[in-house]
Amino acid sequence: MTENTTPVTPSRELTDFADLVSLCKRRGFIFPSSEIYGGIGSCWDYGPLGVELKLNIKNSWWRAMTDRDDIEGLDASILMHPRTWEASGHVEGFVDPLVDCKTCKGRFRADKLEHANCGKKSSLRPGQHGECQLTEPRQFNLMFKTFMGPLEESSSVVYLRPETAQGIFVNFENVQQTARQKIPFGIAQIGKAFRNEITPGNFIFRTREFEQMEMQYFVKPGTDMEWFEKWKEVRVNWHLGNGLRRSKLRFHPHGPTELAHYARAAFDVEYEFPIGWQEIEGIHNRSDFDLRRHQEFSGKKCEYFDEAAKEKYLPFVIETSVGCDRALLAVLCDAYRVEGERTVLKLHPKLAPYKVAVFPLMKKPELLELTDKVYADMKANFRATYDEGGTIGKRYRRQDEIGTPFCITVDYDGLTDQTVTVRERDGMTQERVAIGNLTRYIQDKMAAWKSE
Ligand code: GAP
């Protein structure tokens, strides 16, 4: 029997990041970094639930990539030979135009002034206030520099990688040969990247330290645009598979002035955040730009030999590059709802930090014994949590707010008929389920889940 004990109430979506920032802090998803020292601009720490959610997103990506026979995994180091970044074009070309305001001491991207606020009057753009004194734009390289070894001199400068992709390019031959892959094939990697952004902000949307999930797919020149189209389709389906609503996703093709220095064609997958449509993933046709440049700068051949056709060539590369933190932000924004008294995260069950919460109706020894058994069964199959504090209604609200899709309550009837109540997060329906069937019941419900 399924019953809905709560009247249907109108649902409100997220309209302001501030509400999400507050939930994330309150419930242990995301904290400001070094908070006891007053925080540090644009750095965030993932708490117990945030780290679970992030791992689930990474797993969803990693499985989608490496379960395929034509994609291999890699974990390259963050620090690379400095010549890497000369070859990649980042030393010369990874720059943003920067302007300072001598009056308010604000620092802005010269090409994004229409999205920035004047430090004197926030309703105006920088330069619009009578007292604004903007400097001439100067080029600012976004790579973080540090020194390798004890001497702080120019010969020991190394960079924190601004994208994970270069670790893949320099390992192209290592992976191709050891994994005995034939073109077309891809290399996938998840890892930290660093960019000294001029204007970070909007919570974890733009930060200076973030994680990327990148895949470079090496193809025969001439087949590149065909693969580019295929990967667009595959990648948007991945976001849909994480529960994002189709109406909130769109493609944005790059015009000639938007293309990165390495790209011959590019599409952004955009999500409609409370701040508007923004990129969550970039899909690029990088041609043979990177392998050609590494060949030139290192003096080592990066060509592929096609045994069957007896021909040598530099492969073209189709890149899919998604920010893990940005994908997570989109997932949280999409899941966030306020329905009457409750705030609920309608996360895809596969991404939810806990799949199941188990409660005893009351803290009575006769109920706790059976509850412990149910909890142990659930933990053997799912990531589960236990809660015995406060009323059942309060416990539901707590789980709603962290996105737990199923709450199981053990009550007195269960002692005689070995059943429990399973309450489902999204519709708030309740059903009596035999304890012996619980695992199967939850697995089936999770598999059938659809976003609204
Ligand atoms: N290798 C290609 C590359 O890095 P990109 O468009 O500059 O391309 C790819 O970055 C993705 O990385 C973006 O779509 C975004 O999700 C994420 N990303 C880039 N800069 C970021 C930042 N400052 N903070 C958080 N995520 C960022």
Side-chain angles (χ1 to χ4, degrees), residues 163 165 195 197 205-207 210 212 214 262 279-282 284 286 319 321-323 326:
E163 60 170 9
R195 294 183 190 177
E197 300 278 3
F205 178 80
R206 190 180 307 283
T207 53
F210 54 97
Q212 287 188 317
E214 296 202 298
Y262 48 73
E279 170 188 347
I280 51 174
E281 169 152 4
H284 300 107
R286 292 180 78 131
E319 168 185 76
S321 174
V322 55
R326 230 179 251 186

Side-chain angles (χ1 to χ4, degrees), residues 122-223:
S122 62
S123 58
L124 297 177
R125 302 290 164 230
Q128 287 183 334
H129 191 281
E131 291 178 25
C132 291
Q133 288 187 71
L134 296 186
T135 58
E136 283 301 307
R138 61 182 195 281
Q139 296 300 338
F140 171 75
N141 194 296
L142 301 187
M143 284 198 293
F144 277 97
K145 277 185 196 166
T146 186
F147 300 95
M148 189 167 264
L151 293 180
E152 297 197 0
E153 57 189 20
S154 59
S155 61
S156 56
V157 164
V158 288
Y159 301 96
L160 303 190
R161 64 182 176 195
E163 60 170 9
T164 59
Q166 297 304 324
I168 291 181
F169 292 124
V170 300
N171 277 295
F172 165 67
E173 196 190 344
N174 283 338
V175 176
Q176 187 265 318
Q177 304 246 318
T178 54
R180 301 191 8 277
Q181 281 284 0
K182 291 194 173 57
I183 276 180
F185 79 96
I187 305 177
Q189 174 168 222
I190 300 177
K192 289 264 183 175
F194 303 83
R195 294 183 190 177
N196 202 357
E197 300 278 3
I198 296 169
T199 45
N202 288 315
F203 193 24
I204 53 169
F205 178 80
R206 190 180 307 283
T207 53
R208 293 188 170 116
E209 172 182 345
F210 54 97
E211 257 180 303
Q212 287 188 317
M213 305 188 285
E214 296 202 298
M215 193 280 303
Q216 321 300 132
Y217 201 74
F218 298 88
V219 304
K220 188 170 182 181
T223 63

